[in-house]
Amino acid sequence: MEGGKIGRLDIPFKCLPSFHLHKVINMHTSEFRPLDVERIRKDFPIFATEPPLAFLDNAASTQTARPVVDAMDAYYDTYRSNIHRGIYRISEQATEAYEHAREKVAQLINAPRTRQIIFTRNTTESINLVAHSWGNANIREGDEIVLTVMEHHSNLVPWQLLAQRTGAVLRFLEITDEGLLDFTQFRDLLTEKTKLVAMGHVSNVLGTINPIQSVIEAAHAVGAKVVVDAAQSVPHFHVDVQQLDCDFLAFSGHKMCGPTGIGVLYGQLELLEEMPPFLGGGSMIRAVERDVSTYAELPAKFEAGTPSIAEAIGLGHAVDYLTQTNLAAIHVHEQELLKYAHQCLKEIEGITLYGPSAPHQKAGVISFNIEGVHPHDVAGILDTHGVAIRAGHHCAQPLMKRLDVIATVRASFYLYNTVEDVDRLSEGLCRAQKLMTRRK
Ligand code: C6P
């Protein structure tokens, strides 16, 4: 399992993230049950339509599970009210449901304390919160922030803005031609000037699973803090913040069968306690004078204004849904679809697949291009066959530049996808390839 060393810090670089251990253990005990995809699909009414939809754009946003919608409907129909302020029954019920959702999220990622879970709107807002609150207070001119060329813009632009505000310097870890991070460079990048490493756990374009735990150990060894963009990992496999020992971790509800408008920021307690508020307003204060205020305890300090109440409740139910379904089984299912998709797609004439091919280094995301066919044309033709995929730069323009492409086509899998979805994808691609190259 030891895949090498990270720079001068001599920290072992583990190729396999820890969740694979869970997977291996689970698969060899009676605990492991493959997914019952047919049953799962019944929880998503969109799949009952005819002709059936092959929804393969899960990295952008997943479908919402019925129990999630039911929980949100129940809030709107029976106890809709604001939280943390009403001295009446339904407001107390809403407060309880909202805070219960926080407990479920804390358990999902094994946060030591529930107050380390801050509800935001999405991953983007979570990262911006850290960049403003922690970043403005801790980053100075000449400090270095280490990123990678595979970052989503949400884990790049906030750091660019922070660097512009403070005079800090951004440094980038490159990737190999296979789409893995090039750790031979880490030696030069991580120095005593490094104050922060911000890295995606899983690339939304290449599907690469980065060895985040080793990165965190290496960053901590030089005294740097680490922000993990977990938008593409938490929904798909078990992530344990105590095991990772990350300083901050961000993800979104809408990528894990939950609603839009709700995201999560986890942070180390001492950091969150020291950090100044991000947004000011109601709910985040202790006492307000004309010229100055004192602030509420965590997590309220970072949740100014009326939050997304129904959405938080929905997220709590999405967490229940995923954990009851079993995240290890979801991961195995996605890996099987990925393997099958790789086999099918590599047979298509003129196709270039991007990202690693070894399954343990890749999540259920597959990006590709077909020679002579624009990705948008591929997406349009697939749409006429009832296959939904994403084509474009996927909010990762520096990565597109590194791959020397303007865009890619991307298919991404989740618990409700089937082998038939992959077959329809490859049939549609064959047609697109024939149609578009015949025209030229
Ligand atoms: N990626 C995709 O199609 P928000 O929009 O804040 O919920 O998530 C932002 C984000 C941050 N990091 C990663 C790794 C992501 O994949 C995303 C969202 C979508 O790839 C929409 S661009």
Side-chain angles (χ1 to χ4, degrees), residues 127 130 134 139 144-148 151 155 159 186 190 194-201 210-230 241 244-250 265-268 271:
I127 296 173
V130 179
W134 182 87
I139 297 291
E144 293 186 355
I145 298 170
V146 172
L147 308 167
T148 83
E151 294 318 308
N155 198 30
W159 308 119
F186 225 35
L190 272 193
T194 315
K195 292 294 176 293
L196 181 78
V197 175
M199 191 179 284
H201 196 173
N210 291 321
I212 200 73
Q213 188 161 351
S214 301
V215 167
I216 292 165
E217 287 171 26
H220 284 172
V222 296
K225 304 293 181 213
V226 182
V227 175
V228 180
D229 173 352
V241 289
L244 291 184
D245 193 28
C246 53
D247 299 289
F248 299 101
L249 182 128
L265 174 68
Y266 158 83
Q268 293 276 7
L271 296 176

Side-chain angles (χ1 to χ4, degrees), residues 60 122-124 152 154 204 229 232 252 254-255 390 395 410:
N122 46 38
T123 305
T124 305
H152 186 280
S154 294
N204 66 318
D229 173 352
Q232 301 290 355
S252 300
H254 70 94
K255 292 187 197 291
R390 183 169 173 190
C395 301
R410 182 189 70 184

Side-chain angles (χ1 to χ4, degrees), residues 40-92:
I40 288 170
R41 285 172 74 85
K42 295 201 168 89
D43 293 328
F44 297 84
I46 198 164
F47 298 126
T49 54
E50 280 297 330
L53 172 70
F55 186 76
L56 297 173
D57 193 19
N58 296 289
S61 200
T62 63
Q63 298 300 324
T64 316
R66 192 69 237 169
V68 173
V69 179
D70 288 345
M72 292 169 70
D73 281 352
Y75 163 74
Y76 281 120
D77 289 345
T78 62
Y79 62 103
R80 186 191 157 134
S81 49
N82 214 323
I83 56 168
H84 296 144
R85 57 198 92 203
I87 317 283
Y88 53 92
R89 186 183 55 79
I90 59 167
S91 175
E92 282 165 7

